[in-house]
């Protein structure tokens, strides 16, 4: 059976990240995510003594988890099986060629009742940029080139947690709107984040000269943010799961309920007709 083609050119992604580090990486989204992780951990009634963080940009994560093992988001994660009671996959999973494999590796790295927290960019991220580039390129060339990473939707990511074997899986999303002076300032920020185009199927040819100016004009007209600025959406999807343990809550056995749902809701019950009649 043939394997699906890779989504990400890992060599190009590494170059983009190295360039961002050399020029001074823009990490405000990582800092926001790290602050959110710290808040979420504060709500868990448990102390973690052996954490690990999977990330390409360690600095913001060392601020909140100074004793954590920092692991690169390689296709094979350098995590010890059963060696951690907390694993954080930090704003890198959207670039994975095998996201299920990444989750399974994180699950195996957890000790029983260990916690997994993952955060990645979701499908609404850069929806505005994706739209104006597609419109401009379609008008100029009659076709489209992959320019913005396709990102997963929350319903799909929640199912991946279950496939990876996590107990008590939860997925939720947080949207953030960031404003920029122009589309070109947004693109510069994406490059400074190491989030430039690293798609395996990206075009290697120079784009039409008019592409980006036309897209920028469309952006300014379609997505204004006031004061002459534009709006850009970043959707963070949060994945939470636990390594199975006997102490965890279990779903009730089907048919074991002591009260009918219709009675609890005070609703009339309308039995379905038996199709065999």
């Amino acid at each position: 059976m043939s394997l699906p083609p890779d989504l990400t050119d890992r060599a190009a992604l590494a170059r983009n990240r190295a360039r961002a580090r050399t020029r001074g990486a823009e990490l405000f989204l990582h800092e926001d995510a790290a602050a959110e992780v710290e808040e979420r951990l504060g709500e868990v009634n448990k102390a973690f003594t052996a954490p690990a963080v999977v990330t390409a940009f360690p600095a913001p994560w060392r601020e909140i988890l100074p004793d954590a093992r920092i692991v690169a988001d390689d296709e094979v994660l350098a995590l010890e099986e059963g060696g951690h009671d907390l694993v954080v996959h930090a704003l890198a999973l959207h670039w994975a060629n095998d996201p299920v494999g990444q989750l399974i590796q994180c699950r195996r790295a957890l000790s029983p009742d260990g916690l997994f927290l993952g955060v990645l960019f979701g499908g609404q991220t850069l929806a505005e940029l994706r739209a104006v580039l597609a419109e401009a390129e379609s008008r100029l060339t009659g076709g489209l080139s992959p320019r913005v990473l396709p990102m997963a939707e929350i319903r799909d990511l929640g199912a991946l947690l279950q496939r990876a074997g996590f107990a008590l899986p939860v997925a939720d999303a947080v949207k953030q709107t960031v404003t920029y002076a122009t589309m070109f300032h947004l693109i510069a920020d994406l490059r400074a984040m190491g989030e430039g185009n690293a798609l395996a199927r990206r075009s290697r040819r120079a784009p039409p000269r008019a592409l980006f100016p036309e897209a920028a004009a469309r952006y300014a007209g379609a997505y204004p943010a006031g004061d002459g600025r534009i709006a850009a959406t970043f959707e963070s999807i949060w994945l939470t799961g636990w390594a199975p343990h006997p102490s965890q809550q279990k779903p009730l056995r089907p048919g074991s309920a002591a009260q009918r749902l219709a009675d609890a809701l005070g609703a009339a019950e309308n039995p379905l007709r038996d199709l065999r009649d």
Side-chain angles (χ1 to χ4, degrees):
M1 183 177 67
S2 60
L3 296 174
D6 285 344
L7 174 70
T8 301
D9 179 342
R10 299 292 302 183
L13 179 63
R15 289 194 298 270
N16 290 349
R17 289 170 169 176
R19 190 179 301 116
R21 294 188 196 97
T22 300
R23 299 178 180 179
E26 178 53 78
L27 299 178
F28 72 93
L29 292 175
H30 285 260
E31 291 163 357
D32 288 351
E36 179 71 13
V37 165
E38 188 173 35
E39 183 175 336
R40 291 183 182 224
L41 291 177
E43 297 172 355
V44 178
N45 187 25
K46 182 174 181 175
F48 297 99
T49 59
V53 180
V54 179
T55 180
F57 297 98
W61 304 96
R62 286 198 175 109
E63 291 290 324
I64 65 162
L65 294 167
D67 299 324
R69 179 176 182 179
I70 302 297
V71 176
D73 64 316
D74 298 328
E75 293 187 352
V76 177
L77 301 176
L79 291 169
E80 178 187 352
E81 185 169 350
H84 302 280
D85 54 7
L86 170 67
V87 174
V88 178
H89 207 303
L91 283 179
L93 192 58
H94 51 283
W95 284 113
N97 284 317
D98 181 13
V100 177
Q102 292 278 299
L103 294 175
I104 290 173
Q105 291 179 73
C106 291
R107 159 67 189 86
R108 290 175 177 169
L110 288 171
S111 55
D113 204 34
L115 174 62
F116 170 78
L117 281 175
V119 55
L120 67 157
F121 292 128
Q124 298 305 306
T125 298
L126 301 177
E128 304 90 350
L129 180 62
R130 194 188 319 273
V132 298
L133 285 173
E135 291 166 5
E137 188 165 19
S138 179
R139 192 192 75 79
L140 291 170
T141 69
L144 297 176
S145 298
R147 299 190 183 277
V148 181
L149 177 71
M151 302 174 205
E153 300 293 339
I154 186 171
R155 60 181 179 273
D156 301 318
L157 291 165
L160 295 189
L161 283 172
Q162 293 181 310
R163 286 180 58 188
F166 285 103
L168 309 175
V170 176
D172 62 282
V174 178
K175 285 186 183 179
Q176 180 178 359
T177 300
V178 182
T179 67
Y180 290 92
T182 68
M183 187 191 82
F184 296 104
H185 289 83
L186 166 59
I187 292 174
D189 230 13
L190 293 174
R191 289 173 177 162
M193 297 175 194
E195 296 288 338
N197 189 351
L199 290 167
R201 298 182 63 187
R202 70 191 184 282
S203 173
R204 269 63 168 182
R205 294 181 298 178
R209 182 173 296 180
L211 173 61
F212 288 101
E214 176 163 338
R218 288 175 179 268
Y219 205 133
Y223 305 105
D227 297 325
R229 297 174 70 83
I230 61 170
T233 299
F234 291 90
E235 180 187 35
S236 299
I237 294 181
W238 291 84
L239 306 176
T240 305
W242 295 82
H245 188 268
S247 66
Q248 293 166 352
Q249 293 178 322
K250 301 290 190 303
L252 293 175
R253 188 181 72 257
S256 62
Q259 185 178 13
R260 294 163 62 246
L261 180 61
D263 293 339
L265 297 176
E269 186 175 26
N270 298 309
L272 293 175
R273 180 175 63 86
D274 192 332
L275 296 179
R276 294 173 296 179
D277 294 343

